[in-house]
Amino acid sequence: REHFGKPVSLNDLGMTSGPAFAAIHAQRSLFAQTAALTGAYFTYTGGARPEHLQAAQVSVEWFDALGAKPLLGRVFTKEEDQPNANRVAVLSHSTWAKLFASDPSVLNRKIELNLNYYTVIGVMKPGIEWLGKADLWVPLALSSADTAPQENFHEYLFVLGKLQPDVSQARANAWLRLFSTRVLASGVPGAKEIAPLGWYISSKPLVSAVFGDIRTPMLLLLATVVIVLLIASSNIAGLILARNAMRAHELAMQTALGATRGRLLRRVAAESILLSGLGTVTGIILAYSGMKILLKLAPGKELPPGLYAWLDVYTLAFALGMAAVAGVLFGILPAWQASGVSALGTLNTGGRAVASRQQMRSALVMLEAALALVLVVGAGTLFRSLIQLERVQPGFEARGVMTASVSFPPSRYSNPERQIAFGRAVLEQLPRDSALASDMPFSGDTNSGAFEIRGRSSSGAPPAHSDVRFVSPGYFETLHISLKRGRLFSAYDRIGTEGVAIIDENMARQFWPGEDPIGKQLRPAGSSSWQTIVGVVGHILQDNLALDSGRGTLYYALFQLPSTFPVIAIETRGSPDAIRAAVTSADTAESIFDIEALDKRVAGSLGPRRFVDRKS
């Protein structure tokens, strides 16, 4: 809350191109501020050993749009958000503490990132780095080439727009739709191919974009809390009824001595409300301590980034309001029933409970049983679904596989041959069951791309799409992905040889139903070279045991078509120390990060469900 001001006015425009961002930025009548971000990877070489840092390249209005203020120093100026003038950096609070021991004198210090020197101009307050997962920020510095018309469909910028106070989201989206239509009609490169896909730019509130996936679980949790509250309240109401039954003779005597029903009602209701108030105070104390314990029980990756839990004034107001409602509703009924007893009837029967009181208590018991049954059935259903999901086979063998990543600084690895040489040098130092890939399963970094099938007309039809991975020889063997037909990549599939590709079963069924795809050719979008399909492998789950997109996967030979991605994943049956030694041997300035066993990544996809089931 303290970092984002009024989040309702901050809109997420999704992934956008440089030219589109420039056009949106110019619309000051709609957007008070616009900002763009793209990820980058830096290696900090000023410490005892190289440290990998995930950076966010942001435009000059990024921090202002978020309402974020630095703890030390300042943020970027317009002059620094220019090509060749962007050698400045703002550190996240965690990076400042980790690498510089929270030293205030870090300001104006030059630090070495990717063998270039950057000047530290600021340190941010904690709590903002989750948006972009940034260890530090550097200026985006778009050039005129980045905003040229031919870049209209190169969508790599995450764009935020802060609406003007008098502008609605519907109005902003109407302009964005009109702008998209004009781009498609302008005849810029790529417009003809992308028009059939229904391309357009739109916006939605940032809060919905970031936390939309957890709305349903949060509503489910709220419903569970309400049911528990009803159970507790009905239980307390039953106890009050029982207590009032024991006091029936006392109340009857007071009535006989002239006490009015209103006086008795206020007395018994006051006791109920006092009991509710004491329970609320106790509950708030338990919630404050229990919340910290609960969050510690949940591994970090099971919580959405940027989601923080704390007891603020709104939470306390809600709790007090619910306590008041529960105290009145479930305290007034027993109070009303107790205040309406017949003094003569009660005294004549020696205080024995009348039938109406028994009926009310029976109704409360039935209500408790019904609500408890709802919770038990819900928890059982969650547990059963979790057990079934844990039995799902992802299509590869994750046990024993260690994964890590290494980034390629553009200044030193812009040459494909150098990337390949580095990859081969790393693999030579690792066990035989080792491989490189553009990304690994269950890493959350699945990439997709369009391609053209040779001999098929694509006029009037959307381009073919699939998930895309660049993998080295040994990838399928390391993960034990089954070969269904043809062959796998080998050391002979390198630059200068015939282009080859491998597809999975889903892709074969989708694009070559009833045919043998071996020998067929396809061409990646934007490429002039054809790739011949040499193998078909089993389909694997890429991101989640609970959900399979059904899309096929297209594999390219990494040493033949070097990955354009800045990060290369390493998968091996070796240890993290073996990976680190192999990378250091290939390049002493490189470091590994995101080290984790593959089976833990697979299990982590069920983290939120397992956490909810454990708590239920």
Side-chain angles (χ1 to χ4, degrees), residues 40-46 51 53 57 84-89 100 109-120 136 138 408-414 589:
Y41 296 92
F42 286 151
T43 300
Y44 170 68
T45 50
E51 293 280 352
L53 298 175
Q57 296 177 285
N84 303 318
N86 59 335
R87 299 296 189 197
V88 292
F100 303 100
R109 183 186 303 179
K110 290 187 179 298
I111 60 174
E112 192 174 18
L113 303 171
N114 287 354
L115 302 183
N116 292 310
Y117 285 98
Y118 286 73
T119 302
V120 177
L136 76 161
V138 297
F408 283 158
S411 59
R412 293 189 294 119
Y413 284 96
S414 58

Side-chain angles (χ1 to χ4, degrees), residues 393 396-402 478 480 573 597-599 602:
Q393 296 299 319
F396 58 88
E397 179 55 64
R399 286 178 299 179
V401 178
M402 184 60 62
T478 300
H480 294 172
R573 301 280 168 178
L598 186 55
D599 55 355
V602 174

Side-chain angles (χ1 to χ4, degrees), residues 182-445:
R182 289 174 178 172
V183 170
L184 292 175
S186 66
V188 296
K192 183 179 179 181
E193 292 76 12
I194 204 168
L197 298 176
W199 173 88
Y200 67 94
I201 302 173
S202 65
S203 69
K204 56 184 175 181
L206 178 64
V207 173
S208 299
V210 175
F211 301 120
D213 292 342
I214 66 169
R215 185 180 299 275
T216 298
M218 289 295 101
L219 291 175
L220 178 61
L221 179 60
L222 179 61
T224 303
V225 170
V226 170
I227 292 176
V228 172
L229 175 63
L230 291 174
I231 292 175
S233 298
S234 59
N235 196 8
I236 294 297
L239 292 175
I240 293 175
L241 272 176
R243 183 171 181 269
N244 288 341
M246 298 175 61
R247 299 172 58 195
H249 191 273
E250 174 190 346
L251 296 173
M253 286 292 295
Q254 293 178 11
T255 302
L257 293 174
T260 64
R261 185 175 189 180
R263 182 177 179 181
L264 294 178
L265 180 62
R266 287 193 298 272
R267 177 184 171 185
V268 180
E271 293 177 357
S272 300
I273 294 174
L274 177 61
L275 183 63
S276 175
L278 291 175
T280 301
V281 173
T282 304
I284 290 174
I285 295 174
L286 292 176
Y288 181 76
S289 56
M291 180 179 62
K292 294 183 177 181
I293 296 173
L294 192 64
L295 293 177
K296 287 180 179 180
L297 291 177
K301 291 189 176 181
E302 295 184 6
L303 297 176
L307 181 62
Y308 303 100
W310 65 89
L311 294 178
D312 58 7
V313 63
Y314 300 99
T315 307
L316 293 176
F318 176 80
L320 293 174
M322 292 299 295
V325 171
V328 170
L329 290 182
F330 290 91
I332 201 70
L333 290 177
W336 181 270
Q337 199 271 346
S339 64
V341 298
S342 170
L344 182 59
T346 301
L347 292 173
N348 287 339
T349 58
R352 292 191 296 268
V354 295
S356 60
R357 186 180 294 114
Q358 293 287 358
Q359 291 174 353
M360 181 175 292
R361 280 193 286 180
S362 297
L364 289 173
V365 170
M366 287 190 292
L367 176 62
E368 284 187 67
L371 294 174
L373 181 61
V374 171
L375 288 182
V376 170
V377 171
T381 302
L382 285 174
F383 182 73
R384 181 180 179 185
S385 64
L386 178 63
I387 294 298
Q388 291 176 339
L389 285 174
E390 289 181 336
R391 293 174 179 171
V392 172
Q393 296 299 319
F396 58 88
E397 179 55 64
R399 286 178 299 179
V401 178
M402 184 60 62
T403 64
S405 298
V406 59
S407 62
F408 283 158
S411 59
R412 293 189 294 119
Y413 284 96
S414 58
N415 189 323
E417 285 77 10
R418 181 162 185 148
Q419 295 181 21
I420 293 173
F422 172 84
R424 291 188 184 278
V426 169
L427 290 180
E428 287 176 0
Q429 302 296 320
L430 290 173
R432 184 173 181 179
D433 288 339
S434 302
L436 306 180
S438 56
D439 46 70
M440 64 193 75
F442 289 80
S443 64
D445 297 325

Side-chain angles (χ1 to χ4, degrees), residues 446-451 463-469 502-504 506-507 510-511 522 551-556:
T446 301
N447 294 279
S448 63
F451 60 91
H465 251 77
S466 70
D467 289 338
V468 174
R469 292 188 187 278
I502 292 174
I503 63 175
D504 72 355
N506 282 20
M507 192 170 169
Q510 181 179 358
F511 297 104
L522 49 81
R551 290 192 305 268
T553 304
L554 173 59
Y555 299 92
Y556 294 116

Side-chain angles (χ1 to χ4, degrees), residues 63-117:
F63 300 105
D64 291 336
L66 293 175
K69 304 296 182 183
L71 178 67
L72 299 175
R74 61 177 178 86
V75 294
F76 311 127
T77 64
K78 186 176 180 180
E79 291 71 26
E80 291 167 336
D81 190 21
Q82 301 293 332
N84 303 318
N86 59 335
R87 299 296 189 197
V88 292
V90 174
L91 303 179
S92 71
H93 191 274
S94 58
T95 301
W96 178 52
K98 177 183 176 182
L99 298 184
F100 303 100
S102 301
D103 183 3
S105 66
V106 72
L107 292 180
N108 299 318
R109 183 186 303 179
K110 290 187 179 298
I111 60 174
E112 192 174 18
L113 303 171
N114 287 354
L115 302 183
N116 292 310
Y117 285 98

